[in-house]
Amino acid sequence: MKKQLSLSEDIFNPDIIMNSGQVFRMTREEEYYRCLSGDNEIMFYRLPESRESFEFFCEDDQWDFWWSYFDLDTDYGLYNRTIENSNDAFLRSALEYARGMRILKQDLWEIFVSYLISQNNNIPKIKKSIHILCDRYSNGVAFPKPDILATIPVSELSNGTALGYRAEYISELSQNVSNGKIYLDDFIGHSYTETVAKLTALKGVGPKVANCIALYGLHVMDSYPIDTWMKKIISEDYDSYKDINSYMEYINSTYPGYQGYVQQLQFYYKRK
DNA sequence: TCCCAGGCTTGGT
DNA sequence: ACCAAGCATGGG
């Protein structure tokens, strides 16, 4: 099917989103963007005569997924107005640099595995590992299912995938999901605190990865992943806060319900 | 060679 | 509750 949408640059900039580190299977070739997530695939491009009109192409029964994926029910313009009027100079600069950012709601299983891979790793290598997994254990388009990954010996899973010690975590989670000990749906619909608590109970999932799964897979928007870059930001650009707790009090009280969006803007801006 | 990368687990205080 | 070491891998 084909869908045309009008999305202003204030609220949708695919080049920004694609390179923001939240998504590992979004690519661009010439004017065409392509997203893969779970079993789903979509292509889109910006109409040449307009900066705001996009045409999307996907299977009929996948449109609902993609609508949700791009979080099109949420008005990011409202967040942007608040940030523009704030007295946070770093964040205002980040918004100017990252205008059109969104928080994607991606396939939950793919997000679990992708962010298990992400720990103590870098983005090009994460993409590479994911690409190999999709090629080797699926058709290269769909993300490999837990049932499949559960059958792969860890030695094979870690061989040639650059997964390293993370293969153990992926294997264990795949087995638990496959044999029904863990239901992914059980992670849906909880508060931020409960969600992170449930996630960090899993082997290989610490606070950072839990916040990423919560934000990008479950769309818990008050998540705020803190990695090495965010620590750098807090120490260098928010040095008036005496510690990380007082900084988080500021974030949580000033940007309630969209902390994850604020974090994404900061992260992208710092890495420029 | 050492350091870093969207960190976590484990075992010591 | 806090801290350091160890953990695979690849790039700079």
Side-chain angles (χ1 to χ4, degrees):
Chain A
M1 72 183 294
K2 182 166 77 175
K3 284 273 187 185
Q4 191 169 322
L5 296 176
S6 179
L7 301 163
S8 77
E9 291 194 299
D10 180 45
I11 58 158
F12 186 69
N13 185 332
D15 292 301
I16 300 279
I17 296 168
M18 188 174 66
N19 296 311
S20 66
Q22 65 176 300
V23 56
F24 304 111
R25 295 208 296 152
M26 179 173 179
T27 53
R28 176 182 178 173
E29 283 180 35
E30 303 295 326
E31 71 272 29
Y32 279 89
Y33 300 89
R34 183 189 190 208
C35 298
L36 302 174
S37 189
D39 290 335
N40 307 280
E41 177 177 12
I42 196 167
M43 306 267 282
F44 63 96
Y45 74 106
R46 196 194 310 264
L47 292 175
E49 66 270 19
S50 164
R51 293 303 293 169
E52 300 198 357
S53 294
F54 290 85
E55 211 160 59
F56 294 82
F57 305 88
C58 72
E59 297 295 325
D60 290 9
D61 60 353
Q62 291 184 8
W63 179 247
D64 288 347
F65 172 86
W66 290 111
W67 182 274
S68 162
Y69 175 96
F70 290 112
D71 195 20
L72 294 176
D73 284 325
T74 302
D75 182 6
Y76 284 74
L78 291 177
Y79 302 153
N80 292 345
R81 299 297 87 77
T82 319
I83 292 168
E84 285 160 358
N85 292 324
S86 78
N87 52 18
D88 187 329
F90 182 84
L91 184 55
R92 290 200 310 271
S93 300
L95 174 59
E96 286 316 302
Y97 184 71
R99 196 166 281 280
M101 183 74 76
R102 304 182 79 78
I103 301 297
L104 303 179
K105 185 182 179 187
Q106 304 178 54
D107 176 81
L108 185 54
W109 171 243
E110 178 169 342
I111 287 294
F112 263 99
V113 177
S114 298
Y115 282 91
L116 277 176
I117 296 172
S118 79
Q119 62 184 259
N120 202 16
N121 209 339
N122 58 63
I123 292 173
K125 199 152 80 71
I126 297 165
K127 288 180 179 173
K128 187 177 174 184
S129 291
I130 292 171
H131 188 79
I132 293 169
L133 289 180
C134 293
D135 277 348
R136 196 192 284 183
Y137 301 115
S138 178
N139 59 2
V141 176
F143 194 84
K145 296 262 184 291
D147 294 357
I148 299 295
L149 295 181
T151 66
I152 313 298
V154 176
S155 56
E156 185 196 324
L157 194 58
S158 61
N159 182 21
T161 54
L163 290 176
Y165 64 91
R166 306 167 192 89
E168 193 78 47
Y169 303 148
I170 294 168
S171 179
E172 183 177 325
L173 182 63
S174 297
Q175 291 175 48
N176 284 330
V177 171
S178 178
N179 67 24
K181 282 185 185 170
I182 291 175
Y183 287 92
L184 294 188
D185 285 354
D186 286 346
F187 294 93
I188 299 172
H190 303 281
S191 70
Y192 166 72
T193 308
E194 291 175 47
T195 304
V196 169
K198 287 171 70 68
L199 287 168
T200 52
L202 302 172
K203 180 72 80 63
V205 178
K208 157 62 172 60
V209 170
N211 273 267
C212 286
I213 295 171
L215 186 55
Y216 308 128
L218 295 160
H219 209 69
V220 175
M221 284 287 275
D222 38 359
S223 305
Y224 193 88
I226 296 178
D227 70 329
T228 53
W229 286 93
M230 290 308 301
K231 283 176 183 165
K232 198 166 168 181
I233 288 175
I234 295 168
S235 66
E236 292 178 4
D237 304 293
Y238 294 88
D239 56 330
S240 62
Y241 295 93
K242 67 175 189 295
D243 58 26
I244 199 158
N245 289 330
S246 58
Y247 171 78
M248 283 313 301
E249 280 178 27
Y250 154 68
I251 292 293
N252 287 326
S253 60
T254 316
Y255 312 103
Y258 57 108
Q259 296 97 320
Y261 177 59
V262 168
Q263 188 273 357
Q264 200 67 39
L265 296 173
Q266 295 171 310
F267 178 79
Y268 182 78
Y269 178 54
K270 191 68 174 177
R271 284 169 49 90
K272 81 176 189 300

